[in-house]
Each structure stands twice: as C-alpha cells, then as structure tokens.
Amino acid sequence: MPDPTVPDPKVYLEELTSRGPEMLDDLESLVSAESPSSDPAALRSCRDVLEEMGTRLLGRRPTVLPDSGGPDTGDGPATPGGLLWRLGPADRRPVLLVGHFDTVWPLGTLRRRPFTVQDSRALGPGVFDMKAGLVQGLHALARLRATTGADPAVAFLVTSDEEVGSPLGGPVVTEWARASRTALVLEGAAGDGALKHARKGWSFYDISVRGRAAHAGLDPLEGRNALVDLARVVVDLERLGSADGETTVTPTTASAGTTQNTVPEHARVMVDVRSPDSAAQEQLDAALRRLVADTARLPFEIGGGINRPPLEQAHAREPLRLARTACARLGLPWPGSARVGGVSDGNLCAATGTPTLDGLGAVGGGAHAEHEWADVTRLPERAALVGMMTALLDAEAPHPGV
Ligand SMILES: [Zn+2]
C-alpha cells in the first residue's frame, strides 16, 4: 500500500487555481438545482446533480443513504437520504468532510434571484450556505489525488436536511464523526473568511396549553382560557436568559384560539434557546421545564428539547493548529477564527468528542439572507486549505501494515 503523501503546496494551489473556472461552473450547476429542505422532489434533483459532479471529480459513485420513512409513516413523501463517498484505505480512520445540500430557500427563489456573478461575488439561493463549500471540498479531494497519486482516507458526507435540524442526517453525521479522526465542516466562513472554532448550543421547545372552549359572551365562566395561561408562561420565560446575552431564550412564534368570540381552548408557543456550553444548556433545559410546571395552571405539554449541544473551543484546538500549519505551507494569510451563535452539523460532530473545525467553506456572507454571496476569487484557496488539512491529518494517522 503506497504511503499517502502531502502534496507540494505550491503545485497543489496552482492546480486548484487553474480549476477556478471549472469550480465556478460546478457552483452554477449546484445553485441552479434548487433544494429547499421541505421539498423531496427538488432535493432529489439536486442530489442527482451533486452525485454526478462528485462521481466525475472523485472517480467513483457515492453510497446513497436511505430515505426517511415516507408515506407509510404518515409523514408525507420521504426525504431523500444524503450521499457518502468513502475514499482511500478502508482500514484507516478517515477524515470526515461534512456538508449539506438543502437550503432555506423556497422553490422559485431562483426565478427571482438566479445564479449570477457580479464582480467577485457569486449570488443565488444557497450559494454561501453551503453549495460553494461542497464544490470546494470535491475539487480539493480531486486535486489531492491528481497531485499525489493517492486518496487520503476520507469520508465525504453530504446530508439533505441540515436546515431543519437534521432529523434524517443527524444520526449519520454522529455515526461518521465517531468513526473519524477529525471532522472538517464545509459551512461558510465567519466574517472575512474566519474559521469557526465554537458554536453555541441550540435547544427549541414547543409549549402548548390546553384549556376549555366556551362562548365568550354566553358562557364565559365555562371556559378555561389557554391563551391567558400561556401568556403568563411566556412573560416568565424571559428571565431565564442571562443578562450578558450568552444564554438567550426567545419565544418566536405563537398561536391560540379559533374565533374572535370563543374562549381559546389551545395555545402554543415556540421557544428558541442558545447556550454557550453544555452545562448552561442542561441547566436551562431543567429550569424551563420547572418554570412551565410552576406557572401554568392548565394542563400543558412540552415538545422539543436540546437539539444540538455546543461546539466548544476545546474541540477545535487541534484542527485549528493544523489549519495554521496548512495556511503557512500554502502561503495563505491566516483568516482568523471566531465563535458564532448559529448551529450546524459541526455541533453534532463535536458532541461525539471528535476534534471538529467549522466554517471551512466559502468566504462570503449573508447566510439565509437575500444578499447571500460567495467570493469566487477565493474558491481555489479555500479548497486548498481544506485539502491540505485533510492530507496533513491523514499523514499523521497511524498506517496499518506500513
Ligand atoms: Zn448550512
């Protein structure tokens, strides 16, 4: 078995730079295949585009992961599973590259906001979150093989439902993170290309109260007002957050009642919670449940809970060091690193204890916003960074049989 090698940095970066136009074409194809998380047919078409692209670049077909339960489970049409390319020696712990191809943009956004390039910015739904990251990752691996003649041990995993909390992809991400040396997450970078060394944890709650309906004029005393009861809870929720904004508790959407003249039987609120570390996240979870139990006077239910634990800085320490080495070898300026409030599947990777670094995808901005953009001039260098890190990690690995 040949020992996989680390590419000559200069040659590798030049190779990728010469592929800039091809990367841009691939980005256009991927962005032009709209893929809202909630639309199985659209997801399937986008997955086909990605499968063809990856097969061309990596020289082999991926494993297509199983769909969700689908119509038999009463959940509507099945969400298509993600794609997994396993490259390099199967007996070596892989480096996990992880991303997703679903976006938050509804079908038809493309008509209004088609893929375009203005100056150095590529625009279009999902261009930054995170289709450019996928293109960079695929080209990084393709050029690694072309430059060194061998594939490092890699699992390239792309999921289909990250933007809706990864009900299908999450367990697969966890499984592969556990089996991998390090997880490199291809989500878009923080400001000016900064890597993401920590993310807050995310919990969400679906709190509902059940009262009794009655005519508001004829039998007001017969009713039990679920809205008034839930309102008490909502007001009290605010004090669970911390004054410094580190832990936030945000009631986001609410609904109650049926008609203007009926005492509402049902009331419901969704609550978004962000926490800086696991201890704070668990304390908050307990405190929120206690508060609802103490405050509500009518029967209540709490759905949801902790969705993604925090990606804590300690998880990113080793890969961050390696990113510095990779940047230095490639002659790239250090992009810096940041902690961000948003979550990704990187949180799930870190929760397994596997070293994890996020934000290795596109340089750009405006995730989930109309002005979303990715810097096309920096596609090659970001690909080089993630490819060089992968090669260095693989070279550090114990080589069975060598
Ligand atoms: Zn994303």
Side-chain angles (χ1 to χ4, degrees):
M1 187 181 65
D3 197 24
T5 47
V6 175
D8 179 283
K10 194 162 168 289
V11 173
Y12 184 51
L13 186 54
E14 279 171 8
E15 275 274 325
L16 278 163
T17 304
S18 74
R19 302 285 162 152
E22 193 188 325
M23 292 176 78
L24 195 54
D25 286 348
D26 284 341
L27 183 56
E28 174 162 15
S29 310
L30 209 49
V31 171
S32 302
E34 287 184 284
S35 49
S37 317
S38 57
D39 189 322
L43 286 175
R44 230 170 271 282
S45 310
C46 181
R47 186 180 69 181
D48 290 347
V49 172
L50 184 63
E51 184 176 354
E52 183 277 322
M53 188 180 295
T55 302
R56 165 171 55 83
L57 289 165
L58 304 180
R60 74 177 61 182
R61 303 210 78 83
T63 303
V64 179
L65 301 168
D67 295 353
S68 70
D72 296 347
T73 58
D75 292 339
T79 303
L83 299 174
L84 173 75
W85 279 271
R86 182 72 171 84
L87 306 176
D91 59 352
R92 198 146 79 226
R93 261 171 106 75
V95 176
L96 177 64
L97 301 190
V98 58
H100 63 88
F101 66 86
D102 61 318
T103 77
V104 296
W105 298 102
L107 214 57
T109 303
L110 203 61
R111 263 200 311 274
R112 197 160 54 73
R113 208 148 59 74
F115 179 85
T116 46
V117 179
Q118 289 173 8
D119 301 321
S120 62
R121 294 184 169 199
L123 308 171
V127 69
F128 175 68
D129 186 7
M130 56 163 286
K131 291 179 170 177
L134 298 178
V135 170
Q136 289 171 183
L138 290 173
H139 280 265
L141 297 176
R143 290 301 101 202
L144 264 190
R145 179 200 286 179
T147 316
T148 67
D151 282 321
V154 164
F156 191 104
L157 173 62
V158 190
T159 64
S160 57
D161 64 347
E162 192 274 345
E163 296 290 2
V164 290
S166 309
L168 181 62
V172 189
V173 170
T174 297
E175 178 192 331
W176 278 96
R178 209 167 263 145
S180 299
R181 312 173 47 72
T182 295
L184 304 179
V185 186
L186 300 171
E187 291 280 2
D192 284 333
L195 307 177
K196 296 176 175 174
H197 64 239
R199 287 180 179 273
K200 286 186 177 181
W202 180 46
S203 313
F204 69 83
Y205 300 89
D206 175 353
I207 305 171
S208 55
V209 170
R210 187 162 42 81
R212 191 192 308 144
H215 193 294
L218 297 176
D219 306 306
L221 299 181
E222 286 299 303
R224 297 284 177 272
N225 194 320
L227 174 57
V228 171
D229 201 43
L230 186 64
R232 266 192 287 274
V233 173
V234 170
V235 169
D236 274 6
L237 281 174
E238 203 167 28
R239 67 179 159 79
L240 294 180
S242 62
D244 58 6
E246 281 296 284
T247 295
T248 57
V249 180
T250 312
T252 52
T253 66
S255 60
T258 49
T259 71
Q260 193 275 329
N261 58 356
T262 304
V263 175
E265 182 174 4
H266 295 287
R268 179 180 185 195
V269 64
M270 304 291 239
V271 185
D272 177 291
V273 174
R274 309 281 163 155
S275 314
D277 55 64
S278 294
Q281 188 174 37
E282 279 156 29
Q283 276 164 21
L284 196 287
D285 183 75
L288 180 138
R289 290 172 193 281
R290 208 163 42 236
L291 180 147
V292 177
D294 290 350
T295 313
R297 298 173 193 169
L298 294 170
F300 64 86
E301 255 178 68
I302 304 176
I306 292 175
N307 178 277
R308 287 185 177 85
L311 193 177
E312 294 180 45
Q313 193 162 358
H315 298 123
R317 195 161 291 133
E318 270 308 295
L320 208 51
R321 178 189 61 76
L322 199 80
R324 276 184 188 279
T325 307
C327 276
R329 288 210 188 182
L330 291 160
L332 298 173
W334 175 240
S337 70
R339 192 188 76 164
V340 294
V343 295
S344 82
D345 282 343
N347 295 64
L348 299 177
C349 295
T352 66
T354 295
T356 300
L357 186 62
D358 205 334
L360 282 157
V363 178
H368 300 198
E370 288 285 326
H371 66 282
E372 177 177 10
W373 63 281
D375 188 335
V376 300
T377 65
R378 298 180 70 180
L379 296 176
E381 69 174 60
R382 296 296 278 198
L385 173 58
V386 81
M388 183 58 81
M389 286 185 71
T390 304
L392 290 171
L393 279 163
D394 191 58
E396 280 179 359
H399 295 179
V402 175

